[in-house]
Amino acid sequence: MTLLVAVLAGFLRFFRLDQPRAVVFDETYYVKDAWTMLNTGVERNWPDEVVSNGQVMPVNDAFAAGDTNHWLATAEYVVHPPMGKWFIAWGLKLFGGASNPMAWRASVAIAGIIGVILLTRATLRLFQNSSVAVMAGLLMAMDGVGIVLSRTGLLDNFIMVLALGAFLLLLIHRDQARAKLERAFERDSQLHNASWTPAWQSRRAQQQGKPARMLLNARGPIVAFSWARVGDVVLLGLATGVKWSGTYLFAVFCVISVCWDAWNRREVGYRPWFRFGLLRGGILSAVYMVPLYGLTYLLDWITWFTHSDSYMHDWALSHPHEGALWLPNTLRSFVAYHQQMWTFHTTLDAPHDYKANPLTWPLQIRPTSFYWEKLSDHPGMCSLSPQSQCVAAVTSLGNPLIWWTGSLCAVIAIGIAIAKHGDWRIWAVMAGFLGGWLPWAQYLNRTTFTFYSVVLLPWMVLAIAYVANELRKACSRGTWLAIWWAVIGVAFAISLFFYPIWTAMPVPYWFWRAHMWLGSWI
């Protein structure tokens, strides 16, 4: 079933992937940067206009027409780390080079498919039910933000899939640590004196349908280290090497994982769970996770270090008395470059037609128009309405059912977890909200866009899956199947309706206008 869901995701992402044959939105930065990195090792500047086929034209038009070698010798000032652009560069290498627009977008499309697979498996591990897992995979496969960001050569899809891979590894670590604690408790309880839980805890356990726990005055095993956690840190280090927003995900994921370890220790029956689980476990985890995270991030910049003409590589030589003087020159230049990037990111307030308040992202109030073009002829569906203006559009707008229902389910899920006197899985659902969305609340005056919310998409779907799983347990199999097919059927119909304006299909203007349900979508 996972593979069937992946096939659907692949079709929706690769069908007409070379369209539009134009540099779309921020592809002007990332695709051209990736192409120069593939050819020279670092990002290069480009002229605004070039002479191509005997005509003076904008460089983006020439690039889209296949004339792709007009970069300049000077290194470009870029404000995002290089890892995401290397992913795009590898797609260019494997799928035919920059003359083929499909190659610009191949790696983001592959990342989108992998993301659907990872979410399906993570949902199955969380809820242990295949129908809920398949529902989650299908919803993510069909969502508009996921589709558009998987068909445009931008960076955000890579953060999403790397964070989702890290999240799945954290779930694997949790399950392995829980099994290790249970085996150790069974062994230790035979060697030490154990006592039953206090009466009030026994009554609560009975009310929740759980057996009364034994308490054991023993430290139990150390579960801070696992190879799954190592993989988690590496993936989050790579995510931060795509965009710095990966740092928030690293912080939130680590805190939640350490809390899970401590709570598992308590649930298994070890009495000193806070001191030995949270404090000691947290310190031991940080001892190797933080340095490994930092090292991975540094390795993302390896080509900057190895190319002497990279941007600001020799800044320290021309500024001998500035910066962190205690560092070697190359690292001093590296730190100065990062200070410049930090200033850019924290002060960016340039006006933009599609600027969107981060608090509105979950409701898709102000989606981003990546591409909109009037066509002179009437190809495709436009032939059915020859009297209407023909247009092609790429609008980064989520499936309204998924995003609006997901926002509601996130609130309902918290209420359910509280009513159940706690559920560790609610933190799995909230992890993406806490690490991928809430930190943006500190940048309400900064220029941000709704398409950044693709990082939140998997957890929006997980919120739906959480509530759906509770419904499944509360109703009959027939009722559950009716709910399942209704949700998938309506979501599919809405996605089918919006798919043309997600993928630049030629459509009559009135058809495009019929999709603008809110005035803020135009």
Side-chain angles (χ1 to χ4, degrees), residues 211-238:
R213 294 185 300 109
M214 294 286 290
L215 291 180
L216 187 65
N217 287 315
R219 294 185 177 185
I222 296 174
V223 295
F225 178 86
S226 73
W227 289 110
R229 254 192 184 163
V230 169
D232 162 77
V233 174
V234 170
L235 290 181
L236 291 171
L238 292 174

Side-chain angles (χ1 to χ4, degrees), residues 287-306:
V287 164
Y288 76 91
M289 292 176 76
V290 172
L292 180 59
Y293 171 77
L295 178 61
T296 304
Y297 178 75
L298 282 176
L299 290 176
D300 295 333
W301 287 86
I302 189 67
T303 53
W304 184 91
F305 285 103
T306 56

Side-chain angles (χ1 to χ4, degrees), residues 120-135:
T120 305
R121 306 310 297 180
T123 308
L124 183 61
R125 184 172 284 271
L126 271 173
F127 303 111
Q128 300 293 306
N129 182 267
S130 59
S131 62
V132 175
V134 171
M135 173 188 279

Side-chain angles (χ1 to χ4, degrees), residues 344-362:
F344 172 87
H345 285 300
T346 54
T347 60
L348 179 63
D349 59 356
H352 195 286
D353 290 342
Y354 292 99
K355 178 179 178 181
N357 188 313
L359 299 181
T360 69
W361 294 354

Side-chain angles (χ1 to χ4, degrees), residues 212-470:
R213 294 185 300 109
M214 294 286 290
L215 291 180
L216 187 65
N217 287 315
R219 294 185 177 185
I222 296 174
V223 295
F225 178 86
S226 73
W227 289 110
R229 254 192 184 163
V230 169
D232 162 77
V233 174
V234 170
L235 290 181
L236 291 171
L238 292 174
T240 308
V242 175
K243 279 188 174 182
W244 283 356
S245 52
T247 302
Y248 300 121
L249 292 161
F250 171 72
V252 169
F253 284 15
C254 288
V255 170
I256 288 177
S257 182
V258 169
C259 289
W260 278 344
D261 283 352
W263 195 252
N264 276 337
R265 188 178 296 272
R266 177 189 181 277
E267 291 294 291
V268 166
Y270 286 103
R271 188 187 296 273
W273 63 273
F274 183 87
R275 179 159 47 102
F276 291 107
L278 196 60
L279 298 183
R280 186 182 67 170
I283 293 172
L284 291 177
S285 298
V287 164
Y288 76 91
M289 292 176 76
V290 172
L292 180 59
Y293 171 77
L295 178 61
T296 304
Y297 178 75
L298 282 176
L299 290 176
D300 295 333
W301 287 86
I302 189 67
T303 53
W304 184 91
F305 285 103
T306 56
H307 286 75
S308 59
D309 63 340
S310 55
Y311 184 80
M312 285 185 68
H313 185 278
D314 293 330
W315 178 89
L317 296 178
S318 57
H319 299 77
H321 304 297
E322 299 179 37
L325 299 178
W326 53 277
L327 287 173
N329 282 342
T330 302
L331 286 179
R332 188 153 60 92
S333 299
F334 185 68
V335 170
Y337 186 6
H338 276 61
Q339 289 172 337
Q340 191 175 116
M341 292 166 63
W342 175 259
T343 301
F344 172 87
H345 285 300
T346 54
T347 60
L348 179 63
D349 59 356
H352 195 286
D353 290 342
Y354 292 99
K355 178 179 178 181
N357 188 313
L359 299 181
T360 69
W361 294 354
L363 297 178
Q364 298 290 292
I365 299 298
R366 183 58 172 162
T368 312
S369 177
F370 282 0
Y371 175 82
W372 200 90
E373 191 73 26
K374 292 182 178 180
L375 305 180
S376 58
D377 52 358
H378 287 74
M381 286 189 290
C382 289
S383 62
L384 302 176
S385 185
Q387 303 305 316
S388 175
Q389 172 68 56
C390 187
V391 300
V394 176
T395 306
S396 180
L397 170 66
N399 182 311
L401 174 69
I402 295 173
W403 284 85
W404 295 347
T405 303
S407 298
L408 177 62
C409 285
V411 177
I412 294 174
I414 295 173
I416 292 173
I418 293 173
K420 294 168 65 176
H421 301 287
D423 181 358
W424 70 270
R425 290 175 300 184
I426 192 61
W427 294 108
V429 174
M430 290 294 107
F433 288 86
L434 296 174
W437 173 57
L438 188 60
W440 289 99
Q442 63 185 311
Y443 301 118
L444 297 182
N445 295 322
R446 184 185 181 278
T447 303
T448 59
F449 302 95
T450 298
F451 71 84
Y452 295 173
S453 64
V454 70
V455 178
L456 177 60
L457 172 61
W459 286 272
M460 189 70 72
V461 174
L462 275 180
I464 298 174
Y466 187 98
V467 175
N469 187 60
E470 294 300 317

